[in-house]
Amino acid sequence: MTISEFQKLIESIYLERDRARGRDATFVWFVEEVGELAKALGRPRADGGRNLREEFADVLAWLSTLASIAGVDLEAAASEKYREGCPKCRSTPCAC
Amino acid sequence: MTISEFQKLIESIYLERDRARGRDATFVWFVEEVGELAKALGRPRADGGRNLREEFADVLAWLSTLASIAGVDLEAAASEKYREGCPKCRSTPCAC
């Protein structure tokens, strides 16, 4: 799945509601998910890692919806910055 | 670019260093980038939105490297949770 396809998938599920909530309130929800990821990272994986995978998925979903609200194409932004290697030294691996 | 391709790109640039730094220290860097995204979201886009696009790219890059350190395939996690619509109500758009 491309980054763009995922962003569009999340738009189709949530964008109308997220846009109505507003950018700043949606950012608060995003940060809440970042907190849940922190919790999942620090815990034993008694469930085979399912909760941890879900928290990564949630942070990516909220980042995508934030980008949509802000009018940012996440795949274009990611590709633009990183496709040539480290944006600072232009090397892979980074040699900064 | 698929989510997996982006995760592998970031691995090729940064994973060795990020893994050596460790999961928790890398999480701190990730959160620093979340803070920079917050700042960029709240500012006027005098540069045509370039800084904002870069901050979205950075948060995605640090989320990817965290997933790699934790052994999580970000695309599989995202697809598993969201491909059928809202994970709670199974509807698109979400009807929760």
Side-chain angles (χ1 to χ4, degrees), chain A residues 1-12 59-61 63-65 67-68 72-83, chain B residues 1-10 53 56-61 63-64 74-75 78-79:
Chain A
M1 183 185 289
T2 66
I3 298 168
S4 286
E5 284 167 347
F6 184 72
Q7 185 171 3
K8 287 188 181 75
L9 174 64
I10 296 301
E11 285 179 3
S12 68
V59 173
L60 182 59
L63 183 67
S64 298
T65 212
S68 297
V72 169
D73 178 329
L74 199 54
E75 179 170 326
S79 174
E80 184 182 9
K81 182 146 191 189
Y82 287 102
R83 69 178 168 230
Chain B
M1 184 185 289
T2 66
I3 299 169
S4 287
E5 284 167 347
F6 185 72
Q7 185 171 4
K8 287 189 181 75
L9 173 64
I10 296 301
R53 289 195 300 276
F56 270 108
D58 288 346
V59 172
L60 182 59
L63 182 68
S64 297
L74 200 54
E75 179 169 326
S79 175

mmCIF file of all heavy atoms in Angstrom, chain A residues 1-12 59-61 63-65 67-68 72-83, chain B residues 1-10 53 56-61 63-64 74-75 78-79:
data_model
loop_
_atom_site.group_PDB
_atom_site.id
_atom_site.type_symbol
_atom_site.label_atom_id
_atom_site.label_comp_id
_atom_site.label_asym_id
_atom_site.label_seq_id
_atom_site.Cartn_x
_atom_site.Cartn_y
_atom_site.Cartn_z
ATOM 1 N N MET A 1 0.850 -1.198 0.000
ATOM 2 C CA MET A 1 0.000 0.000 0.000
ATOM 3 C C MET A 1 0.882 1.243 0.000
ATOM 4 O O MET A 1 1.785 1.350 0.831
ATOM 5 C CB MET A 1 -0.874 -0.010 1.273
ATOM 6 C CG MET A 1 -1.869 1.137 1.370
ATOM 7 S SD MET A 1 -2.758 1.142 2.953
ATOM 8 C CE MET A 1 -3.827 -0.281 2.755
ATOM 9 N N THR A 2 0.618 2.156 -0.921
ATOM 10 C CA THR A 2 1.437 3.375 -0.923
ATOM 11 C C THR A 2 1.027 4.288 0.248
ATOM 12 O O THR A 2 -0.081 4.163 0.799
ATOM 13 C CB THR A 2 1.287 4.164 -2.234
ATOM 14 O OG1 THR A 2 -0.048 4.658 -2.323
ATOM 15 C CG2 THR A 2 1.602 3.296 -3.452
ATOM 16 N N ILE A 3 1.927 5.213 0.557
ATOM 17 C CA ILE A 3 1.618 6.186 1.611
ATOM 18 C C ILE A 3 0.380 6.988 1.208
ATOM 19 O O ILE A 3 -0.500 7.257 2.027
ATOM 20 C CB ILE A 3 2.839 7.100 1.845
ATOM 21 C CG1 ILE A 3 4.045 6.281 2.316
ATOM 22 C CG2 ILE A 3 2.512 8.191 2.871
ATOM 23 C CD1 ILE A 3 5.372 7.043 2.305
ATOM 24 N N SER A 4 0.299 7.330 -0.070
ATOM 25 C CA SER A 4 -0.876 8.082 -0.564
ATOM 26 C C SER A 4 -2.163 7.274 -0.443
ATOM 27 O O SER A 4 -3.213 7.810 -0.073
ATOM 28 C CB SER A 4 -0.678 8.474 -2.025
ATOM 29 O OG SER A 4 0.255 9.510 -2.137
ATOM 30 N N GLU A 5 -2.085 5.984 -0.776
ATOM 31 C CA GLU A 5 -3.281 5.140 -0.660
ATOM 32 C C GLU A 5 -3.744 5.070 0.796
ATOM 33 O O GLU A 5 -4.946 5.113 1.079
ATOM 34 C CB GLU A 5 -2.987 3.734 -1.189
ATOM 35 C CG GLU A 5 -2.939 3.657 -2.706
ATOM 36 C CD GLU A 5 -2.350 2.352 -3.236
ATOM 37 O OE1 GLU A 5 -1.747 1.582 -2.446
ATOM 38 O OE2 GLU A 5 -2.446 2.117 -4.452
ATOM 39 N N PHE A 6 -2.785 4.966 1.721
ATOM 40 C CA PHE A 6 -3.172 4.919 3.134
ATOM 41 C C PHE A 6 -3.793 6.256 3.562
ATOM 42 O O PHE A 6 -4.814 6.277 4.252
ATOM 43 C CB PHE A 6 -1.971 4.571 4.016
ATOM 44 C CG PHE A 6 -2.348 4.422 5.468
ATOM 45 C CD1 PHE A 6 -3.073 3.319 5.899
ATOM 46 C CD2 PHE A 6 -2.014 5.390 6.400
ATOM 47 C CE1 PHE A 6 -3.454 3.180 7.234
ATOM 48 C CE2 PHE A 6 -2.378 5.261 7.733
ATOM 49 C CZ PHE A 6 -3.101 4.155 8.148
ATOM 50 N N GLN A 7 -3.165 7.368 3.127
ATOM 51 C CA GLN A 7 -3.732 8.678 3.484
ATOM 52 C C GLN A 7 -5.165 8.807 2.951
ATOM 53 O O GLN A 7 -6.056 9.285 3.661
ATOM 54 C CB GLN A 7 -2.829 9.794 2.948
ATOM 55 C CG GLN A 7 -3.296 11.192 3.381
ATOM 56 C CD GLN A 7 -2.298 12.293 3.045
ATOM 57 O OE1 GLN A 7 -1.265 12.050 2.430
ATOM 58 N NE2 GLN A 7 -2.602 13.510 3.463
ATOM 59 N N LYS A 8 -5.389 8.349 1.716
ATOM 60 C CA LYS A 8 -6.745 8.428 1.130
ATOM 61 C C LYS A 8 -7.721 7.495 1.859
ATOM 62 O O LYS A 8 -8.894 7.823 2.044
ATOM 63 C CB LYS A 8 -6.699 8.086 -0.364
ATOM 64 C CG LYS A 8 -6.075 9.209 -1.184
ATOM 65 C CD LYS A 8 -6.226 8.931 -2.679
ATOM 66 C CE LYS A 8 -5.571 10.040 -3.502
ATOM 67 N NZ LYS A 8 -4.096 9.980 -3.520
ATOM 68 N N LEU A 9 -7.231 6.311 2.252
ATOM 69 C CA LEU A 9 -8.074 5.382 3.024
ATOM 70 C C LEU A 9 -8.533 6.035 4.328
ATOM 71 O O LEU A 9 -9.729 5.984 4.680
ATOM 72 C CB LEU A 9 -7.266 4.101 3.310
ATOM 73 C CG LEU A 9 -7.904 3.060 4.225
ATOM 74 C CD1 LEU A 9 -9.171 2.482 3.612
ATOM 75 C CD2 LEU A 9 -6.919 1.921 4.519
ATOM 76 N N ILE A 10 -7.595 6.640 5.030
ATOM 77 C CA ILE A 10 -7.944 7.295 6.301
ATOM 78 C C ILE A 10 -8.868 8.488 6.065
ATOM 79 O O ILE A 10 -9.808 8.720 6.841
ATOM 80 C CB ILE A 10 -6.653 7.703 7.063
ATOM 81 C CG1 ILE A 10 -5.848 6.450 7.440
ATOM 82 C CG2 ILE A 10 -6.979 8.542 8.304
ATOM 83 C CD1 ILE A 10 -6.591 5.457 8.318
ATOM 84 N N GLU A 11 -8.642 9.215 4.965
ATOM 85 C CA GLU A 11 -9.570 10.312 4.618
ATOM 86 C C GLU A 11 -10.988 9.783 4.428
ATOM 87 O O GLU A 11 -11.949 10.380 4.908
ATOM 88 C CB GLU A 11 -9.120 11.000 3.321
ATOM 89 C CG GLU A 11 -7.921 11.911 3.494
ATOM 90 C CD GLU A 11 -7.481 12.577 2.188
ATOM 91 O OE1 GLU A 11 -8.154 12.375 1.150
ATOM 92 O OE2 GLU A 11 -6.451 13.269 2.208
ATOM 93 N N SER A 12 -11.092 8.652 3.731
ATOM 94 C CA SER A 12 -12.435 8.124 3.430
ATOM 95 C C SER A 12 -13.146 7.657 4.698
ATOM 96 O O SER A 12 -14.372 7.704 4.782
ATOM 97 C CB SER A 12 -12.354 6.983 2.413
ATOM 98 O OG SER A 12 -11.718 5.851 2.980
ATOM 99 N N VAL A 59 -0.899 5.745 15.256
ATOM 100 C CA VAL A 59 -0.114 6.978 15.131
ATOM 101 C C VAL A 59 0.012 7.365 13.663
ATOM 102 O O VAL A 59 -0.149 8.538 13.295
ATOM 103 C CB VAL A 59 1.280 6.828 15.790
ATOM 104 C CG1 VAL A 59 2.159 8.055 15.492
ATOM 105 C CG2 VAL A 59 1.139 6.656 17.303
ATOM 106 N N LEU A 60 0.228 6.374 12.803
ATOM 107 C CA LEU A 60 0.313 6.664 11.363
ATOM 108 C C LEU A 60 -1.028 7.192 10.839
ATOM 109 O O LEU A 60 -1.055 8.135 10.023
ATOM 110 C CB LEU A 60 0.727 5.400 10.600
ATOM 111 C CG LEU A 60 0.904 5.574 9.093
ATOM 112 C CD1 LEU A 60 1.961 6.624 8.774
ATOM 113 C CD2 LEU A 60 1.282 4.236 8.440
ATOM 114 N N ALA A 61 -2.120 6.635 11.318
ATOM 115 C CA ALA A 61 -3.441 7.083 10.869
ATOM 116 C C ALA A 61 -3.701 8.529 11.291
ATOM 117 O O ALA A 61 -4.189 9.347 10.505
ATOM 118 C CB ALA A 61 -4.524 6.155 11.430
ATOM 119 N N LEU A 63 -1.433 10.792 12.064
ATOM 120 C CA LEU A 63 -0.504 11.655 11.327
ATOM 121 C C LEU A 63 -1.053 11.924 9.922
ATOM 122 O O LEU A 63 -0.991 13.053 9.419
ATOM 123 C CB LEU A 63 0.877 10.987 11.240
ATOM 124 C CG LEU A 63 1.964 11.812 10.548
ATOM 125 C CD1 LEU A 63 2.323 13.056 11.374
ATOM 126 C CD2 LEU A 63 3.222 10.964 10.305
ATOM 127 N N SER A 64 -1.625 10.901 9.306
ATOM 128 C CA SER A 64 -2.198 11.037 7.969
ATOM 129 C C SER A 64 -3.372 11.996 7.959
ATOM 130 O O SER A 64 -3.487 12.852 7.068
ATOM 131 C CB SER A 64 -2.671 9.668 7.454
ATOM 132 O OG SER A 64 -1.600 8.782 7.340
ATOM 133 N N THR A 65 -4.237 11.871 8.944
ATOM 134 C CA THR A 65 -5.417 12.744 8.960
ATOM 135 C C THR A 65 -5.002 14.182 9.240
ATOM 136 O O THR A 65 -5.551 15.133 8.661
ATOM 137 C CB THR A 65 -6.476 12.200 9.944
ATOM 138 O OG1 THR A 65 -7.783 12.509 9.469
ATOM 139 C CG2 THR A 65 -6.333 12.722 11.346
ATOM 140 N N ALA A 67 -2.194 15.513 8.290
ATOM 141 C CA ALA A 67 -1.644 15.984 7.022
ATOM 142 C C ALA A 67 -2.777 16.366 6.072
ATOM 143 O O ALA A 67 -2.711 17.403 5.395
ATOM 144 C CB ALA A 67 -0.757 14.905 6.400
ATOM 145 N N SER A 68 -3.832 15.559 6.043
ATOM 146 C CA SER A 68 -4.964 15.867 5.166
ATOM 147 C C SER A 68 -5.623 17.186 5.564
ATOM 148 O O SER A 68 -5.939 18.016 4.706
ATOM 149 C CB SER A 68 -5.988 14.732 5.205
ATOM 150 O OG SER A 68 -5.419 13.544 4.701
ATOM 151 N N VAL A 72 -1.483 18.630 3.257
ATOM 152 C CA VAL A 72 -0.158 18.094 2.919
ATOM 153 C C VAL A 72 -0.291 16.672 2.377
ATOM 154 O O VAL A 72 -0.961 15.830 2.987
ATOM 155 C CB VAL A 72 0.771 18.102 4.158
ATOM 156 C CG1 VAL A 72 2.047 17.304 3.906
ATOM 157 C CG2 VAL A 72 1.115 19.542 4.529
ATOM 158 N N ASP A 73 0.336 16.416 1.235
ATOM 159 C CA ASP A 73 0.432 15.076 0.651
ATOM 160 C C ASP A 73 1.611 14.374 1.335
ATOM 161 O O ASP A 73 2.777 14.701 1.082
ATOM 162 C CB ASP A 73 0.666 15.226 -0.857
ATOM 163 C CG ASP A 73 0.825 13.892 -1.569
ATOM 164 O OD1 ASP A 73 1.335 12.925 -0.959
ATOM 165 O OD2 ASP A 73 0.468 13.815 -2.748
ATOM 166 N N LEU A 74 1.301 13.422 2.201
ATOM 167 C CA LEU A 74 2.332 12.821 3.056
ATOM 168 C C LEU A 74 3.385 12.084 2.228
ATOM 169 O O LEU A 74 4.593 12.157 2.528
ATOM 170 C CB LEU A 74 1.648 11.869 4.039
ATOM 171 C CG LEU A 74 2.397 11.465 5.304
ATOM 172 C CD1 LEU A 74 2.888 12.661 6.108
ATOM 173 C CD2 LEU A 74 1.506 10.582 6.185
ATOM 174 N N GLU A 75 2.953 11.376 1.180
ATOM 175 C CA GLU A 75 3.922 10.646 0.356
ATOM 176 C C GLU A 75 4.853 11.612 -0.386
ATOM 177 O O GLU A 75 6.072 11.403 -0.428
ATOM 178 C CB GLU A 75 3.193 9.750 -0.654
ATOM 179 C CG GLU A 75 4.177 8.993 -1.531
ATOM 180 C CD GLU A 75 3.495 7.914 -2.373
ATOM 181 O OE1 GLU A 75 2.523 7.306 -1.898
ATOM 182 O OE2 GLU A 75 3.956 7.674 -3.493
ATOM 183 N N ALA A 76 4.291 12.661 -0.947
ATOM 184 C CA ALA A 76 5.128 13.644 -1.655
ATOM 185 C C ALA A 76 6.121 14.284 -0.690
ATOM 186 O O ALA A 76 7.301 14.461 -1.016
ATOM 187 C CB ALA A 76 4.242 14.707 -2.306
ATOM 188 N N ALA A 77 5.651 14.609 0.516
ATOM 189 C CA ALA A 77 6.525 15.245 1.502
ATOM 190 C C ALA A 77 7.665 14.299 1.902
ATOM 191 O O ALA A 77 8.831 14.696 1.980
ATOM 192 C CB ALA A 77 5.710 15.641 2.739
ATOM 193 N N ALA A 78 7.316 13.032 2.145
ATOM 194 C CA ALA A 78 8.314 12.049 2.579
ATOM 195 C C ALA A 78 9.330 11.777 1.480
ATOM 196 O O ALA A 78 10.539 11.726 1.718
ATOM 197 C CB ALA A 78 7.610 10.753 2.991
ATOM 198 N N SER A 79 8.832 11.629 0.256
ATOM 199 C CA SER A 79 9.712 11.343 -0.873
ATOM 200 C C SER A 79 10.628 12.532 -1.155
ATOM 201 O O SER A 79 11.834 12.373 -1.369
ATOM 202 C CB SER A 79 8.841 11.005 -2.090
ATOM 203 O OG SER A 79 9.637 10.850 -3.227
ATOM 204 N N GLU A 80 10.047 13.708 -1.131
ATOM 205 C CA GLU A 80 10.812 14.936 -1.407
ATOM 206 C C GLU A 80 11.993 15.065 -0.451
ATOM 207 O O GLU A 80 13.095 15.418 -0.851
ATOM 208 C CB GLU A 80 9.865 16.143 -1.271
ATOM 209 C CG GLU A 80 10.474 17.491 -1.619
ATOM 210 C CD GLU A 80 9.484 18.665 -1.416
ATOM 211 O OE1 GLU A 80 8.384 18.438 -0.852
ATOM 212 O OE2 GLU A 80 9.810 19.778 -1.801
ATOM 213 N N LYS A 81 11.764 14.736 0.801
ATOM 214 C CA LYS A 81 12.826 14.967 1.792
ATOM 215 C C LYS A 81 13.848 13.848 1.862
ATOM 216 O O LYS A 81 15.023 14.099 2.120
ATOM 217 C CB LYS A 81 12.216 15.206 3.180
ATOM 218 C CG LYS A 81 13.299 15.494 4.236
ATOM 219 C CD LYS A 81 12.905 16.452 5.311
ATOM 220 C CE LYS A 81 14.107 16.875 6.142
ATOM 221 N NZ LYS A 81 13.729 17.650 7.322
ATOM 222 N N TYR A 82 13.432 12.591 1.656
ATOM 223 C CA TYR A 82 14.335 11.468 1.965
ATOM 224 C C TYR A 82 14.770 10.606 0.787
ATOM 225 O O TYR A 82 15.623 9.737 0.955
ATOM 226 C CB TYR A 82 13.686 10.584 3.041
ATOM 227 C CG TYR A 82 13.697 11.241 4.400
ATOM 228 C CD1 TYR A 82 12.554 11.841 4.921
ATOM 229 C CD2 TYR A 82 14.870 11.313 5.149
ATOM 230 C CE1 TYR A 82 12.569 12.479 6.152
ATOM 231 C CE2 TYR A 82 14.895 11.946 6.384
ATOM 232 C CZ TYR A 82 13.743 12.527 6.879
ATOM 233 O OH TYR A 82 13.780 13.158 8.089
ATOM 234 N N ARG A 83 14.209 10.825 -0.407
ATOM 235 C CA ARG A 83 14.500 9.875 -1.493
ATOM 236 C C ARG A 83 15.968 9.872 -1.908
ATOM 237 O O ARG A 83 16.465 8.882 -2.440
ATOM 238 C CB ARG A 83 13.586 10.115 -2.695
ATOM 239 C CG ARG A 83 13.891 11.407 -3.400
ATOM 240 C CD ARG A 83 13.021 11.650 -4.628
ATOM 241 N NE ARG A 83 13.230 13.025 -5.028
ATOM 242 C CZ ARG A 83 12.279 13.905 -5.268
ATOM 243 N NH1 ARG A 83 11.017 13.558 -5.172
ATOM 244 N NH2 ARG A 83 12.565 15.142 -5.595
ATOM 245 N N MET B 1 5.272 5.565 -3.596
ATOM 246 C CA MET B 1 6.159 4.839 -2.679
ATOM 247 C C MET B 1 5.321 4.115 -1.623
ATOM 248 O O MET B 1 4.476 4.738 -0.992
ATOM 249 C CB MET B 1 7.109 5.830 -1.988
ATOM 250 C CG MET B 1 8.134 5.172 -1.084
ATOM 251 S SD MET B 1 9.145 6.393 -0.192
ATOM 252 C CE MET B 1 10.130 7.053 -1.507
ATOM 253 N N THR B 2 5.547 2.813 -1.465
ATOM 254 C CA THR B 2 4.758 2.114 -0.442
ATOM 255 C C THR B 2 5.295 2.463 0.956
ATOM 256 O O THR B 2 6.429 2.941 1.105
ATOM 257 C CB THR B 2 4.827 0.590 -0.620
ATOM 258 O OG1 THR B 2 6.162 0.155 -0.364
ATOM 259 C CG2 THR B 2 4.410 0.155 -2.021
ATOM 260 N N ILE B 3 4.456 2.186 1.942
ATOM 261 C CA ILE B 3 4.883 2.416 3.329
ATOM 262 C C ILE B 3 6.105 1.561 3.626
ATOM 263 O O ILE B 3 7.059 2.014 4.267
ATOM 264 C CB ILE B 3 3.715 2.093 4.298
ATOM 265 C CG1 ILE B 3 2.517 3.011 4.013
ATOM 266 C CG2 ILE B 3 4.166 2.224 5.750
ATOM 267 C CD1 ILE B 3 1.226 2.602 4.718
ATOM 268 N N SER B 4 6.115 0.340 3.117
ATOM 269 C CA SER B 4 7.276 -0.551 3.331
ATOM 270 C C SER B 4 8.529 -0.014 2.658
ATOM 271 O O SER B 4 9.624 -0.087 3.226
ATOM 272 C CB SER B 4 6.984 -1.947 2.783
ATOM 273 O OG SER B 4 6.080 -2.626 3.612
ATOM 274 N N GLU B 5 8.385 0.496 1.446
ATOM 275 C CA GLU B 5 9.548 1.064 0.756
ATOM 276 C C GLU B 5 10.115 2.246 1.538
ATOM 277 O O GLU B 5 11.332 2.388 1.662
ATOM 278 C CB GLU B 5 9.163 1.509 -0.661
ATOM 279 C CG GLU B 5 9.012 0.346 -1.632
ATOM 280 C CD GLU B 5 8.328 0.755 -2.934
ATOM 281 O OE1 GLU B 5 7.736 1.865 -3.018
ATOM 282 O OE2 GLU B 5 8.349 -0.066 -3.872
ATOM 283 N N PHE B 6 9.223 3.074 2.073
ATOM 284 C CA PHE B 6 9.709 4.208 2.872
ATOM 285 C C PHE B 6 10.403 3.715 4.139
ATOM 286 O O PHE B 6 11.484 4.218 4.501
ATOM 287 C CB PHE B 6 8.563 5.165 3.223
ATOM 288 C CG PHE B 6 9.042 6.392 3.942
ATOM 289 C CD1 PHE B 6 9.765 7.378 3.270
ATOM 290 C CD2 PHE B 6 8.815 6.560 5.301
ATOM 291 C CE1 PHE B 6 10.242 8.501 3.935
ATOM 292 C CE2 PHE B 6 9.281 7.679 5.980
ATOM 293 C CZ PHE B 6 9.988 8.654 5.287
ATOM 294 N N GLN B 7 9.813 2.719 4.811
ATOM 295 C CA GLN B 7 10.447 2.186 6.026
ATOM 296 C C GLN B 7 11.837 1.630 5.703
ATOM 297 O O GLN B 7 12.798 1.865 6.452
ATOM 298 C CB GLN B 7 9.553 1.112 6.660
ATOM 299 C CG GLN B 7 10.093 0.606 8.001
ATOM 300 C CD GLN B 7 9.114 -0.296 8.751
ATOM 301 O OE1 GLN B 7 8.037 -0.612 8.247
ATOM 302 N NE2 GLN B 7 9.483 -0.699 9.950
ATOM 303 N N LYS B 8 11.959 0.928 4.576
ATOM 304 C CA LYS B 8 13.263 0.366 4.195
ATOM 305 C C LYS B 8 14.253 1.468 3.810
ATOM 306 O O LYS B 8 15.451 1.366 4.082
ATOM 307 C CB LYS B 8 13.093 -0.617 3.029
ATOM 308 C CG LYS B 8 12.457 -1.928 3.461
ATOM 309 C CD LYS B 8 12.487 -2.974 2.338
ATOM 310 C CE LYS B 8 11.815 -4.268 2.780
ATOM 311 N NZ LYS B 8 10.341 -4.173 2.817
ATOM 312 N N LEU B 9 13.754 2.511 3.154
ATOM 313 C CA LEU B 9 14.613 3.656 2.811
ATOM 314 C C LEU B 9 15.195 4.282 4.078
ATOM 315 O O LEU B 9 16.407 4.540 4.162
ATOM 316 C CB LEU B 9 13.788 4.688 2.018
ATOM 317 C CG LEU B 9 14.448 6.025 1.696
ATOM 318 C CD1 LEU B 9 15.653 5.838 0.775
ATOM 319 C CD2 LEU B 9 13.439 6.983 1.039
ATOM 320 N N ILE B 10 14.337 4.500 5.057
ATOM 321 C CA ILE B 10 14.806 5.108 6.311
ATOM 322 C C ILE B 10 15.751 4.154 7.046
ATOM 323 O O ILE B 10 16.750 4.585 7.636
ATOM 324 C CB ILE B 10 13.588 5.509 7.190
ATOM 325 C CG1 ILE B 10 12.771 6.603 6.482
ATOM 326 C CG2 ILE B 10 14.027 5.974 8.581
ATOM 327 C CD1 ILE B 10 13.531 7.881 6.168
ATOM 328 N N ARG B 53 5.711 20.662 5.281
ATOM 329 C CA ARG B 53 5.879 19.370 4.605
ATOM 330 C C ARG B 53 7.085 18.614 5.178
ATOM 331 O O ARG B 53 7.033 17.402 5.398
ATOM 332 C CB ARG B 53 6.069 19.563 3.091
ATOM 333 C CG ARG B 53 4.822 20.004 2.369
ATOM 334 C CD ARG B 53 4.944 19.834 0.849
ATOM 335 N NE ARG B 53 6.038 20.600 0.272
ATOM 336 C CZ ARG B 53 5.992 21.884 -0.078
ATOM 337 N NH1 ARG B 53 4.881 22.552 0.078
ATOM 338 N NH2 ARG B 53 7.048 22.489 -0.600
ATOM 339 N N PHE B 56 6.207 17.063 8.574
ATOM 340 C CA PHE B 56 5.416 15.829 8.414
ATOM 341 C C PHE B 56 6.325 14.676 7.985
ATOM 342 O O PHE B 56 6.216 13.561 8.500
ATOM 343 C CB PHE B 56 4.287 16.029 7.391
ATOM 344 C CG PHE B 56 3.003 16.522 7.994
ATOM 345 C CD1 PHE B 56 2.582 17.827 7.792
ATOM 346 C CD2 PHE B 56 2.217 15.695 8.777
ATOM 347 C CE1 PHE B 56 1.394 18.302 8.352
ATOM 348 C CE2 PHE B 56 1.031 16.146 9.351
ATOM 349 C CZ PHE B 56 0.621 17.455 9.124
ATOM 350 N N ALA B 57 7.235 14.952 7.042
ATOM 351 C CA ALA B 57 8.161 13.910 6.577
ATOM 352 C C ALA B 57 9.027 13.405 7.732
ATOM 353 O O ALA B 57 9.274 12.200 7.871
ATOM 354 C CB ALA B 57 9.040 14.464 5.452
ATOM 355 N N ASP B 58 9.482 14.330 8.570
ATOM 356 C CA ASP B 58 10.353 13.935 9.685
ATOM 357 C C ASP B 58 9.616 13.062 10.699
ATOM 358 O O ASP B 58 10.168 12.070 11.189
ATOM 359 C CB ASP B 58 10.910 15.178 10.381
ATOM 360 C CG ASP B 58 11.955 15.901 9.532
ATOM 361 O OD1 ASP B 58 12.439 15.313 8.543
ATOM 362 O OD2 ASP B 58 12.283 17.059 9.857
ATOM 363 N N VAL B 59 8.383 13.421 11.021
ATOM 364 C CA VAL B 59 7.634 12.602 11.985
ATOM 365 C C VAL B 59 7.419 11.203 11.411
ATOM 366 O O VAL B 59 7.587 10.198 12.111
ATOM 367 C CB VAL B 59 6.295 13.274 12.369
ATOM 368 C CG1 VAL B 59 5.446 12.321 13.225
ATOM 369 C CG2 VAL B 59 6.556 14.558 13.140
ATOM 370 N N LEU B 60 7.100 11.137 10.118
ATOM 371 C CA LEU B 60 6.920 9.819 9.493
ATOM 372 C C LEU B 60 8.236 9.030 9.496
ATOM 373 O O LEU B 60 8.237 7.815 9.755
ATOM 374 C CB LEU B 60 6.404 9.985 8.060
ATOM 375 C CG LEU B 60 6.134 8.688 7.305
ATOM 376 C CD1 LEU B 60 5.093 7.827 8.024
ATOM 377 C CD2 LEU B 60 5.659 8.980 5.872
ATOM 378 N N ALA B 61 9.346 9.707 9.249
ATOM 379 C CA ALA B 61 10.650 9.027 9.236
ATOM 380 C C ALA B 61 10.997 8.479 10.622
ATOM 381 O O ALA B 61 11.448 7.336 10.762
ATOM 382 C CB ALA B 61 11.737 9.992 8.767
ATOM 383 N N LEU B 63 8.864 7.800 13.057
ATOM 384 C CA LEU B 63 7.916 6.723 13.375
ATOM 385 C C LEU B 63 8.370 5.430 12.702
ATOM 386 O O LEU B 63 8.313 4.347 13.301
ATOM 387 C CB LEU B 63 6.508 7.111 12.901
ATOM 388 C CG LEU B 63 5.407 6.100 13.216
ATOM 389 C CD1 LEU B 63 5.154 6.016 14.720
ATOM 390 C CD2 LEU B 63 4.099 6.463 12.483
ATOM 391 N N SER B 64 8.861 5.545 11.469
ATOM 392 C CA SER B 64 9.328 4.366 10.727
ATOM 393 C C SER B 64 10.530 3.732 11.406
ATOM 394 O O SER B 64 10.618 2.504 11.530
ATOM 395 C CB SER B 64 9.719 4.773 9.299
ATOM 396 O OG SER B 64 8.610 5.262 8.605
ATOM 397 N N LEU B 74 5.497 -1.516 9.405
ATOM 398 C CA LEU B 74 4.519 -0.434 9.520
ATOM 399 C C LEU B 74 3.374 -0.603 8.509
ATOM 400 O O LEU B 74 2.205 -0.364 8.842
ATOM 401 C CB LEU B 74 5.235 0.908 9.306
ATOM 402 C CG LEU B 74 4.567 2.176 9.823
ATOM 403 C CD1 LEU B 74 4.199 2.089 11.288
ATOM 404 C CD2 LEU B 74 5.483 3.382 9.571
ATOM 405 N N GLU B 75 3.698 -1.028 7.302
ATOM 406 C CA GLU B 75 2.645 -1.202 6.289
ATOM 407 C C GLU B 75 1.693 -2.336 6.672
ATOM 408 O O GLU B 75 0.468 -2.194 6.572
ATOM 409 C CB GLU B 75 3.270 -1.491 4.912
ATOM 410 C CG GLU B 75 2.209 -1.696 3.852
ATOM 411 C CD GLU B 75 2.770 -1.732 2.427
ATOM 412 O OE1 GLU B 75 3.758 -1.021 2.152
ATOM 413 O OE2 GLU B 75 2.224 -2.469 1.601
ATOM 414 N N ALA B 78 -0.501 -1.106 9.514
ATOM 415 C CA ALA B 78 -1.500 -0.129 9.071
ATOM 416 C C ALA B 78 -2.609 -0.800 8.267
ATOM 417 O O ALA B 78 -3.795 -0.522 8.462
ATOM 418 C CB ALA B 78 -0.819 0.960 8.244
ATOM 419 N N SER B 79 -2.206 -1.702 7.384
ATOM 420 C CA SER B 79 -3.177 -2.393 6.544
ATOM 421 C C SER B 79 -4.075 -3.303 7.380
ATOM 422 O O SER B 79 -5.307 -3.321 7.210
ATOM 423 C CB SER B 79 -2.423 -3.191 5.478
ATOM 424 O OG SER B 79 -3.310 -3.962 4.725
#
